Amino acid sequence: MSDLFANLPSHSSGSRFAAFDLHSEIGIAGHRLIIPHIPLDRALQPSDWFASKFANGSVHEPRLVDLLVELSVRLAGRLVRFYDIGALFGFFGILAGKLFAGAELVAVEPEAEAARYVAALARANGCGAHVKQVLLTGQAGTGSFAAQGFRYQAAPSGSPIQTAALQDILLPRRDGVTEILKIDTEGYQARFLPQAADELAQRQAIVLLELDRPEKLAAHGSSNAAVVAPFLALGYTLYWCDHRDPCAKVERLPGLVPRHERNSLAVLIPRDFDAS
């Protein structure tokens, strides 16, 4: 495979943000996103989060945005199913709904209030979305978890949350559909992603995986390198970048080494991906 993302342009530059009484708007990559101001029973409100990430010309994780735009160009005319795993307030899922015409969206978010907002965001932008309120841990069931910022810690005094394996939330395979999974799960990917590698390879799924600091992976007995290793063994091609740096180079790598054990982005492209 040629270097798929060599000289990746900055599709996210020139973004615009405007706040009004009842909603905000983000203009990005030629698309307009409507951000409804719906108050939630939580400390950080979606309207404040979007303002902090997009006001004054800033863009949340700009290199991930650029990669999504690039994939939408290369997959133009094809049907796409996009999984936003660790959706929080749903930005990447709704952006995918705008970029990939007719995309089927699946949002996975364990917090009830955030999941409720994702559904409302999808409606406001005319995008249908399957919203699954579940924490992916690699095992189906119910656990007790305490929220610590955006992270979830198993705790007897926590709240009951439904858990699942990644395979549990995948929709049935459809011929002619390209599946893309964006995963941002604060370390839990170590539990659910390696065990799903065979299934994702059979689906020829593209994986956009946020890597985490070593201590987050160590809490699950793993590392970023160990999480991506099963995909490399199945013939996937690995790209890596600092997704928060708007000028970061996207590197093609044979594997991850210690310098990659930090917050960054791994892009896993299946063996037979057709980029034409």
Side-chain angles (χ1 to χ4, degrees):
M1 181 187 295
S2 62
D3 199 349
L4 185 62
F5 301 114
N7 303 314
L8 178 70
S10 177
H11 298 288
S12 58
S13 61
S15 67
R16 303 179 311 281
F17 178 85
F20 305 97
D21 289 340
L22 300 179
H23 76 284
S24 298
E25 295 182 6
I26 299 172
I28 188 168
H31 296 277
R32 175 172 168 262
L33 280 62
I34 304 299
I35 311 302
H37 294 175
I38 300 173
L40 302 183
D41 185 18
R42 68 187 320 278
L44 178 61
Q45 296 297 306
S47 57
D48 295 332
W49 183 89
F50 279 101
S52 71
K53 300 298 183 180
F54 292 93
N56 302 316
S58 60
V59 174
H60 178 54
E61 299 183 355
R63 262 338 215 177
L64 177 50
V65 172
D66 295 339
L67 284 159
L68 282 174
V69 176
E70 189 70 15
L71 286 170
S72 73
V73 172
R74 295 177 180 274
L75 295 171
R78 305 190 206 181
L79 295 175
V80 168
R81 177 184 288 162
F82 186 87
Y83 293 86
D84 187 1
I85 299 174
L88 186 58
F89 300 133
F91 166 66
F92 285 111
I94 297 306
L95 177 62
K98 299 287 187 178
L99 292 172
F100 302 98
E104 187 173 23
L105 305 179
V106 181
V108 181
E109 172 53 49
E111 185 196 306
E113 288 290 280
R116 179 169 71 88
Y117 183 81
V118 171
L121 180 67
R123 290 193 297 270
N125 286 276
C127 301
H130 307 272
V131 180
K132 298 179 180 289
Q133 186 191 332
V134 65
L135 179 67
L136 296 186
T137 64
Q139 185 174 0
T142 302
S144 180
F145 296 87
Q148 300 176 344
F150 300 131
R151 299 173 61 187
Y152 287 86
Q153 182 72 35
S157 60
S159 301
I161 294 178
Q162 183 181 351
T163 64
L166 177 59
Q167 296 92 320
D168 297 332
I169 62 93
L170 295 175
L171 300 183
R173 297 184 201 178
R174 287 176 55 197
D175 291 340
V177 173
T178 299
E179 294 185 290
I180 302 174
L181 289 79
K182 176 240 113 184
I183 300 173
D184 179 3
T185 53
E186 303 291 335
Y188 274 96
Q189 64 271 16
R191 296 193 182 189
F192 68 77
L193 191 54
Q195 66 176 240
D198 285 335
E199 173 68 20
L200 295 178
Q202 291 174 25
R203 292 172 178 248
Q204 290 288 287
I206 297 168
V207 180
L208 307 173
L209 172 64
E210 179 157 328
L211 306 179
D212 285 303
R213 299 190 305 274
E215 57 268 26
K216 288 188 179 181
L217 278 300
H220 301 284
S222 190
S223 66
N224 291 310
V227 173
V228 305
F231 292 88
L232 302 181
L234 290 165
Y236 271 73
T237 301
L238 169 65
Y239 295 88
W240 176 89
C241 73
D242 182 341
H243 56 318
R244 296 183 176 182
D245 179 353
C247 301
K249 179 182 177 182
V250 181
E251 304 176 45
R252 181 176 174 179
L253 302 173
L256 298 178
V257 297
R259 75 179 179 93
H260 304 120
E261 295 291 333
R262 62 183 181 90
N263 185 266
S264 52
L265 184 74
V267 181
L268 294 160
I269 302 294
R271 185 199 303 271
D272 297 325
F273 177 67
D274 178 7
S276 59

